[in-house]
């Protein structure tokens, strides 16, 4: 991940926006059955196809990468003692940063009140909700129906998912990597309990497998600029701008809260707790942040995050391979913040009073559910619907259609925040473990 990868991705991203805007402009003017319109439709579908292949290539790396890096990383620890400390710090860091993110979201949504207009529930947004629900596409209806099928007990299901009865089945369940991580950690810990000569071959095997996965990650990332171009063109082309205008204030609220966490809270933590230069860390993480932004998936970004944190920020393999796979699965600062803002925003639009107690419950629920949300696009919608229903907010299902319709750009931003949060944990924890060389040399990304 050295060199100019992030510049190439950035160029891919900008060119994609440019292409999509030109396509939108042209297709608005051309008659539907003209050659030009057909060409644009064909080009957009071709992009979709290439984008899907790129996403799948990234996702293909996740399972072997998690298993080999967690096992190789933890098996290098000497005994359980070091592990307990690392585990405690990681869980503590993740809980603290998610909570800080939610509090910022809560404050801003109460301050800006994006769901109100002149102090009253916004009629414009209320109509947009009804409109969106009435004219939802079949695909959106299926997504919401699936989300509605989830029970509140699903939140606790996370503890069950930690121990999957069939580890191979867990590995095939896209987006639910927690069981695989827990198994890999236990496997590696068991290795450390055996005499070195008995496990040294096994450890070498996992180490070599992990090295192979790193080379494969490099290969996939070589085509990232093209993959990301192809992912972004259809998104920008198909996203209608009308809804965004009506929901401008909501966008501003979410983005401002994410920005506070990204540009103030996490950098403060980096410099106060990690004693590192936050700018150097931003630089080190550029490629991973752009990939997270473009794919809206922290799981798919994991291979890139691991490379940036180790190669550019200089965190040890041991710390990175414990904190990052776990973080990509359970630590989502941006998502937790977004859940809280979205739920309270809808309550404002539908005129549902939420007192301090009710808002506190939303904070708790956002904290808990963000652990269970999968690292894939739009995954937090399930949690939002669940919280809205449990809080007794009326018209929750209809509102979910509107949230889904405008989700992508917000998902892109919160996923980047999610990934950055994980990487900060790796840096701060690595530093606290006395690792040398973290963000000391000039970072490249
Ligand atoms: N897309 C987010 C992620 O992968 C999850 C979400 O908030 O929907 O981190």
């Amino acid at each position: 991940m050295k060199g100019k990868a992030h510049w190439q991705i950035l160029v891919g991203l900008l060119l994609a926006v440019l292409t999509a805007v030109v396509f939108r402009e042209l297709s608005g003017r051309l008659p539907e059955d003209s050659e030009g319109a057909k060409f644009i439709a064909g080009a957009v579908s071709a992009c979709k196809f290439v984008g899907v292949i790129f996403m799948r290539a990234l996702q293909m790396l996740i399972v072997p990468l998690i298993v080999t890096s967690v096992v190789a990383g933890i098996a290098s620890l000497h005994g359980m003692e070091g592990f307990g400390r690392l585990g405690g710090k990681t869980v503590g860091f993740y809980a603290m940063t998610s909570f800080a993110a939610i509090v910022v979201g809560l404050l801003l949504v109460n301050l800006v009140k994006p769901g109100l207009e002149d102090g009253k529930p916004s009629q414009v947004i209320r109509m947009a909700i009804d409109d969106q629900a009435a004219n939802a596409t079949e695909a959106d209806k299926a997504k919401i129906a699936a989300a509605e099928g989830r029970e509140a007990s699903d939140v606790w299901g996370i503890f069950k998912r930690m121990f999957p009865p069939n580890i191979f089945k867990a590995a095939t369940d896209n987006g639910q990597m927690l069981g695989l991580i827990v198994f890999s950690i236990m496997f590696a810990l068991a290795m450390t309990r055996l005499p070195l000569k008995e496990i040294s071959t096994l450890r070498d095997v996992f180490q070599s497998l992990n090295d192979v996965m790193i080379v494969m990650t490099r290969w996939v990332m070589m085509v990232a600029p093209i993959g990301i171009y192809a992912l972004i063109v259809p998104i920008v082309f198909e996203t209608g701008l009308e809804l965004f205008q009506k929901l401008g204030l909501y966008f501003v609220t979410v983005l401002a809260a994410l920005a506070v966490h990204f540009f103030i809270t996490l950098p403060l933590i980096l410099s106060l707790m990690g004693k590192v230069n936050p700018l150097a860390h931003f630089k080190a993480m550029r490629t991973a942040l752009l990939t997270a932004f473009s794919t809206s998936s922290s799981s798919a970004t994991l291979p890139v995050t691991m490379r940036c944190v180790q190669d550019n920020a200089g965190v040890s393999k041991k710390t990175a391979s414990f904190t990052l796979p776990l973080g990509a699965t359970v630590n989502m600062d941006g998502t937790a913040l977004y859940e809280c803002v979205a739920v309270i925003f809808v309550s404002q639009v539908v005129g549902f009073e939420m007192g301090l107690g009710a808002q506190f419950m939303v904070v708790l629920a956002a904290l808990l559910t963000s652990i269970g949300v999968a690292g894939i696009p739009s995954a937090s919608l399930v949690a939002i619907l669940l919280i809205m229903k449990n809080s007794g907010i009326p018209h929750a299902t209809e509102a979910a259609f509107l949230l889904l319709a405008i989700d992508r750009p917000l998902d892109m931003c919160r996923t980047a925040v999610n990934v950055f949060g994980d990487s900060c944990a790796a840096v701060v924890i690595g530093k606290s473990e006395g690792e040398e060389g973290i963000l000391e040399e000039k970072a490249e990304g």
Side-chain angles (χ1 to χ4, degrees):
M1 230 59 60
K2 299 251 175 201
K4 301 281 166 272
H6 60 277
W7 286 120
Q8 292 167 357
I9 294 178
L10 199 62
V11 169
L13 205 76
L14 294 178
L15 280 180
V17 174
L18 199 74
T19 312
V21 170
V22 171
F23 277 1
R24 261 185 91 88
E25 240 343 269
L26 288 176
S27 68
R29 292 176 192 190
L30 294 167
E32 235 175 73
D33 53 356
S34 67
E35 284 303 313
K38 279 187 199 147
F39 170 80
I40 292 175
V44 172
S45 333
C47 282
K48 261 191 195 160
F49 184 72
V50 175
V52 166
I53 302 240
F54 175 65
M55 275 295 265
R56 291 172 74 112
L58 272 177
Q59 287 166 330
M60 166 181 92
L61 303 172
I62 300 171
V63 170
L65 189 81
I66 287 183
V67 176
T68 58
S69 68
V70 172
V71 173
I74 295 178
S76 65
L77 287 170
H78 303 294
M80 294 274 207
E81 225 173 87
F83 174 75
R85 202 182 49 231
L86 198 63
K89 281 181 192 172
T90 307
V91 171
F93 189 96
Y94 285 159
M96 175 190 80
T97 47
S98 296
F99 186 69
I102 297 176
V103 169
V104 172
L106 188 73
L107 286 178
L108 277 183
V109 74
N110 278 299
L111 207 73
V112 181
K113 299 190 174 57
L116 302 184
E117 218 179 275
D118 303 327
K120 290 196 206 82
S122 160
Q123 284 311 309
V124 178
I125 304 179
R126 189 58 229 276
M127 270 155 63
I129 288 182
D130 293 343
D131 235 41
Q132 206 58 38
N135 302 312
T137 61
E138 286 309 313
D140 284 359
K141 279 186 196 157
K143 272 188 206 157
I144 302 288
E148 280 197 304
R150 306 290 278 269
E151 304 270 320
S153 57
D154 276 14
V155 175
W156 301 109
I158 180 146
F159 294 105
K160 280 203 229 154
R161 288 201 298 276
M162 282 169 121
F163 300 98
N166 182 340
I167 192 67
F168 295 101
K169 204 159 162 235
T172 55
D173 186 359
N174 190 16
Q176 292 300 344
M177 293 295 135
L178 195 56
L180 200 64
I181 294 172
V182 171
F183 179 84
S184 306
I185 292 173
M186 286 174 71
F187 186 90
L189 285 179
M191 278 169 69
T192 66
R193 306 309 273 175
L194 293 169
L196 193 60
K197 67 175 184 338
E198 276 182 36
I199 54 116
S200 61
T201 316
L202 189 59
R203 209 166 68 177
D204 291 347
V205 168
F206 272 101
Q207 184 54 56
S208 304
L209 285 173
N210 189 229
D211 292 343
V212 173
M213 292 316 301
I214 293 170
V215 176
M216 286 180 68
T217 305
R218 275 199 206 115
W219 286 350
V220 175
M221 284 315 285
M222 268 156 55
V223 293
I226 299 169
I228 282 170
Y229 174 88
L231 271 177
I232 299 296
V233 168
I235 293 174
V236 179
F237 180 74
E238 283 166 8
T239 307
L241 291 178
E242 307 75 30
L243 275 178
F244 293 95
Q245 281 156 4
K246 284 184 198 154
L247 293 167
L249 208 51
Y250 171 61
F251 263 77
V252 170
T253 312
V254 175
L255 294 181
L258 288 174
V260 169
H261 194 66
F262 190 80
F263 291 113
I264 300 175
T265 312
L266 289 173
L268 267 179
I269 292 175
L270 278 174
S271 50
L272 295 179
M273 291 176 71
K275 308 261 181 294
V276 294
N277 177 359
L279 257 181
H281 187 52
F282 275 122
K283 262 175 128 181
M285 294 307 296
R286 283 179 296 199
T287 308
L289 293 176
L290 285 171
T291 310
F293 181 79
S294 313
T295 58
S296 290
S297 167
S298 19
S299 293
T301 310
L302 180 62
V304 192
T305 317
M306 299 209 45
R307 292 318 335 131
C308 287
V309 166
Q310 290 177 63
D311 297 351
N312 302 347
V315 175
S316 74
K317 184 187 191 72
K318 177 192 87 179
T319 305
S321 53
F322 179 71
T323 50
L324 296 177
L326 200 65
T329 319
V330 305
N331 179 50
M332 298 192 178
D333 299 353
T335 295
L337 174 161
Y338 176 68
E339 285 178 21
C340 184
V341 175
V343 169
I344 293 176
F345 162 72
V346 173
S347 80
Q348 292 171 349
V349 176
V350 298
F352 182 77
E353 247 348 284
M354 283 193 115
L356 227 80
Q359 295 209 12
F360 179 70
M361 291 314 285
V362 173
V363 169
L364 268 190
L367 200 59
L368 278 176
T369 52
S370 71
I371 300 172
V373 167
I376 50 177
S378 291
S380 47
L381 199 76
V382 178
I384 292 168
L385 196 52
L386 202 74
I387 303 176
M388 288 199 291
K389 292 215 154 169
N390 278 306
S391 309
I393 297 176
H395 309 291
T397 310
E398 290 92 323
F401 280 106
L402 182 70
L403 295 179
L404 183 63
I406 53 160
D407 192 43
R408 191 65 187 212
L410 297 176
D411 197 3
M412 294 163 89
C413 298
R414 67 179 185 258
T415 306
V417 173
N418 290 345
V419 167
F420 192 59
D422 301 341
S423 73
C424 291
V427 165
V428 171
I429 292 167
K431 276 290 228 182
S432 77
E433 291 283 299
E435 287 176 22
E436 308 260 327
I438 294 183
L439 292 168
E440 274 171 12
E441 284 161 48
K442 193 177 162 291
E444 280 181 77

